[in-house]
């Protein structure tokens, strides 16, 4: 029947690891997305395969509301405009995010400027973060989570930090055997986010 067809929610999935199929954070991210794919359109981007110039603080976005660079960031801006969910996965590098992912985030300064001018669509998008670190020490994910929080806040993307999936000790032998349990956990959380996206969550 015409008019009853529902538009599928859109998910922007940003993969921050350079390790392709060997990457833990990417595997966890895919497991998280698995249930979501049944009802949403997922657009995946791998930052290490993209050409994204670093922000030079030229101030052009402040004065003109757009960016001087014509690169792959245009595809990310387009997806960010329409996404109902933004999921980000990343390895932990020197207790933070790897450079290319941080560069992508810095380039969202343009969106911050557009928000200030009320020229960015207000959408109730959900944000999600997955990370894996090789070692195991106190507060190891704190810098990454702080950056992601700042990023989501700037774009007014809602998120529930207690659901973020942060896997530590991934370079230990114990972690290899725990990886499949981690994947199951990612799938369960993905299922919860599917409900949020399709509007069946409380
Ligand atoms: C450049 C570099 C820096 C790293 N820094 C840290 C670190 O500060 N803390 C940590 O626990 N692991 C660190 N690691 C290990 C990775 O975080 C770990 O292997 C992670 O699971 C990789 O994720 P991936 O498999 O998704 O690429 C580092 C690895 C590299 C290559």
């Amino acid at each position: 029947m015409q008019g009853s067809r529902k538009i599928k929610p859109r998910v922007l999935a940003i993969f921050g690891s350079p390790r392709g199929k060997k990457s833990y954070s990417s595997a966890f991210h895919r497991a998280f997305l698995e249930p979501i794919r049944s009802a949403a359109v997922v657009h995946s981007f791998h930052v290490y395969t993209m050409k994204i110039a670093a922000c030079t603080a030229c101030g052009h976005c402040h004065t003109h509301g757009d960016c001087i660079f014509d690169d792959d960031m245009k595809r990310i801006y387009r997806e960010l405009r329409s996404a109902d969910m933004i999921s980000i996965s990343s390895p932990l590098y020197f207790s933070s995010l790897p450079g290319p992912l941080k560069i992508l985030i810095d380039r969202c300064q343009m969106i911050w400027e557009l928000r200030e001018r009320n020229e960015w669509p207000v959408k109730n998008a959900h944000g999600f973060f997955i990370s894996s670190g090789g070692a195991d020490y106190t507060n190891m994910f704190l810098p990454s989570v702080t950056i992601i929080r700042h990023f989501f806040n700037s774009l007014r993307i809602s998120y529930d930090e207690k659901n973020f999936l942060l896997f530590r000790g991934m370079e230990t032998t114990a972690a290899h055997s725990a990886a499949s349990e981690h994947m199951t956990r990612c799938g369960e959380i993905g299922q919860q986010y599917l409900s949020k996206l399709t509007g069946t969550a409380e």
Side-chain angles (χ1 to χ4, degrees), residues 17 19 22-26 91-95 132-135 137 140 170-171:
S17 173
R19 296 201 317 127
K22 288 193 211 143
S23 159
Y24 281 118
S25 62
S26 304
L92 192 67
Y93 283 2
F94 281 83
S95 298
S132 71
Y137 48 91
M140 59 192 275
M170 291 312 299
E171 282 173 1

Side-chain angles (χ1 to χ4, degrees), residues 14-16 29 47 86-92 95-98 101-106 108 126-131 141-161 163-166:
I14 299 172
F15 290 78
H29 197 172
V47 289
I86 294 98
S87 60
I88 302 174
S89 61
S90 175
L92 192 67
S95 298
S96 186
L97 302 178
L101 179 56
K102 181 59 167 51
I103 284 173
L104 181 153
I105 290 174
D106 291 350
C108 291
H126 302 283
F128 194 70
F129 181 56
I130 300 169
S131 189
F141 292 106
L142 189 61
S144 306
V145 169
T146 304
I147 296 166
I148 294 294
R149 185 193 299 146
H150 193 155
F151 173 63
F152 287 155
N153 285 342
S154 298
L155 273 60
R156 300 198 200 127
I157 293 164
S158 64
Y159 55 92
D160 190 349
E161 229 170 272
N163 282 337
F164 287 177
L165 293 162
L166 310 171

Side-chain angles (χ1 to χ4, degrees), residues 1 27-28 32 34 39 73 97 104 112 120 138 143 148 152 156 161 163 171 176 179 181 189 195 200:
M1 198 173 45
F28 297 149
F32 167 78
E34 179 88 21
M73 199 57 204
L97 302 178
L104 181 153
W112 189 89
W120 186 260
T138 310
I148 294 294
F152 287 155
R156 300 198 200 127
E161 229 170 272
N163 282 337
E171 282 173 1
H176 289 286
E181 283 169 41
I189 299 288
S195 307
T200 54

Side-chain angles (χ1 to χ4, degrees), residues 43-84:
H43 293 274
S44 297
F45 291 86
H46 295 259
V47 289
Y48 275 85
T49 65
M50 301 177 80
K51 295 226 176 317
I52 303 178
C55 175
T56 58
C58 67
H60 186 85
C61 59
H62 180 66
T63 51
H64 293 77
D66 62 9
C67 184
I68 53 163
F69 293 116
D70 181 9
D71 59 12
D72 285 342
M73 199 57 204
K74 290 228 161 114
R75 295 156 65 202
I76 299 288
Y77 293 143
R78 205 177 309 128
E79 292 299 328
L80 279 170
R81 262 187 192 278
S82 55
D84 299 289

